[in-house]
Amino acid sequence: MGYVRAKKSLGQHFLKDLNIAKKIVASMEADGISKVLEIGPGMGVLTQYLLKEDRFETHVVEIDRESVSYLKENFPELSDRIIGEDFLKYDLSRLFSEPFAVIGNFPYNISSQIFFKVLENRDQIPEVVGMIQKEVAERMAAVPGNKTYGILSVLMQAFYNIEYLFTVSETVFDPPPKVKSAVIRMKRNTTDRLACDEKLFFRVVKSGFNQRRKTLRNSLKSVLGDYKLEDDIMALRPEQLSVNQFVYLTNKVEELIHTELRE
């Protein structure tokens, strides 16, 4: 079987530049990690270099049946480490009991969902190297005050240090996507748990950015209801807040709601 047809429904754009494939694999530091999971290997352009690495054992997860057949045929040494499943639905605790890194040329239509799944399993995933849409990469690595800073930036940076590594031209893919791509590296930071109610933190961040042009006084009405939080931070817009300021804000919101409920 010589070739896999790229399927639009799966957001497939196969990388054909081998130098970039090598560069992506070389970006994986894998400090003290013995297992790596590649998401969406397609025809194995990254896989072939991952398999040359002695530092870790490579496993792949691929939803496309045609790609699974291709990989089994062309990488027989990998055959018992190919998971023919949907990464987003797969229970990762079934796969590894120890920490593992994640790598891949992620399908653009589900890249944010992949990152949220990583976030759910953050205690097991110390590193991620991924090629994604340039715009999403910029958003994830953005600092407070930047217009691209948003929900994904805050939620991911709460638990990971994120580096924008390099930009990739659309011409190195088959078929070429309509946008440029970029490779990022995420390394787990030292935050085990946030110093606030994490579910409420997620709600506060999402509500804030749902109306990002408004100040927090207006955008947090969906969380606060009729309660009024008197604090200088409420005069700011969400993209002005660091992760720590969002933690502070979450605690203030929780305090206010509990006080009001007691009264």
Side-chain angles (χ1 to χ4, degrees), residues 15-233:
L15 179 63
K16 55 185 186 182
D17 186 318
L18 299 184
N19 285 326
I20 289 179
K22 282 182 198 167
K23 203 172 165 186
I24 292 171
V25 171
S27 301
M28 171 72 72
E29 293 178 352
D31 295 332
I33 297 168
S34 61
K35 302 275 195 293
V36 168
L37 179 65
E38 183 188 358
I39 298 172
M43 288 187 284
V45 69
L46 291 185
T47 320
Q48 62 187 325
Y49 298 113
L50 288 167
L51 290 173
K52 287 178 181 167
E53 291 280 354
D54 295 329
R55 297 179 294 156
F56 46 72
E57 180 183 80
T58 299
H59 295 246
V60 303
V61 56
E62 175 59 75
I63 194 173
D64 179 25
R65 295 276 158 263
E66 200 184 348
S67 292
V68 169
S69 302
Y70 179 93
L71 293 165
K72 283 183 173 168
E73 199 173 306
N74 290 276
F75 301 97
E77 71 274 38
L78 187 68
S79 61
D80 61 344
R81 287 179 271 134
I82 299 171
I83 304 144
E85 301 265 357
D86 179 349
F87 171 76
L88 296 177
K89 293 177 182 163
Y90 192 71
D91 177 3
L92 295 174
S93 62
R94 283 168 49 195
L95 188 58
F96 305 123
S97 53
E98 72 259 56
F100 63 95
V102 166
I103 194 168
N105 169 19
F106 301 152
Y108 297 161
N109 53 348
I110 59 161
S111 62
S112 294
Q113 291 163 272
I114 288 172
F115 291 122
F116 286 129
K117 172 100 173 183
V118 164
L119 208 51
E120 283 166 26
N121 294 273
R122 60 185 177 266
D123 294 339
Q124 227 188 332
I125 304 176
E127 184 180 3
V128 178
V129 171
M131 179 149 60
I132 52 177
Q133 199 171 324
K134 182 173 186 275
E135 189 186 291
V136 179
E138 287 170 342
R139 205 181 302 153
M140 287 182 67
V143 295
N146 188 308
K147 66 178 190 299
T148 57
Y149 184 75
I151 295 173
L152 206 53
S153 329
V154 177
L155 298 186
M156 299 311 296
Q157 290 175 29
F159 298 101
Y160 286 91
N161 297 324
I162 300 172
E163 293 170 87
Y164 184 107
L165 298 181
F166 54 92
T167 306
V168 181
S169 163
E170 54 274 57
T171 57
V172 301
F173 296 92
D174 182 27
K178 292 186 170 68
V179 292
K180 285 200 170 7
S181 303
V183 175
I184 60 163
R185 179 170 54 221
M186 297 167 33
K187 300 285 292 279
R188 188 77 170 82
N189 64 22
T190 53
T191 305
D192 277 337
R193 292 285 171 268
L194 294 178
C196 66
D197 178 323
E198 286 183 8
K199 275 191 177 153
L200 186 57
F201 174 84
F202 279 46
R203 271 187 69 202
V204 165
V205 172
K206 286 176 179 172
S207 299
F209 283 105
N210 278 342
Q211 297 175 295
R212 61 180 302 140
R213 288 197 174 86
K214 295 188 174 180
T215 63
L216 291 161
R217 185 167 286 116
N218 292 311
S219 60
L220 287 189
K221 280 178 179 165
S222 61
V223 176
L224 288 169
D226 295 331
Y227 304 140
K228 294 268 186 294
L229 178 56
E230 299 303 334
D231 193 291
D232 291 347
I233 204 166

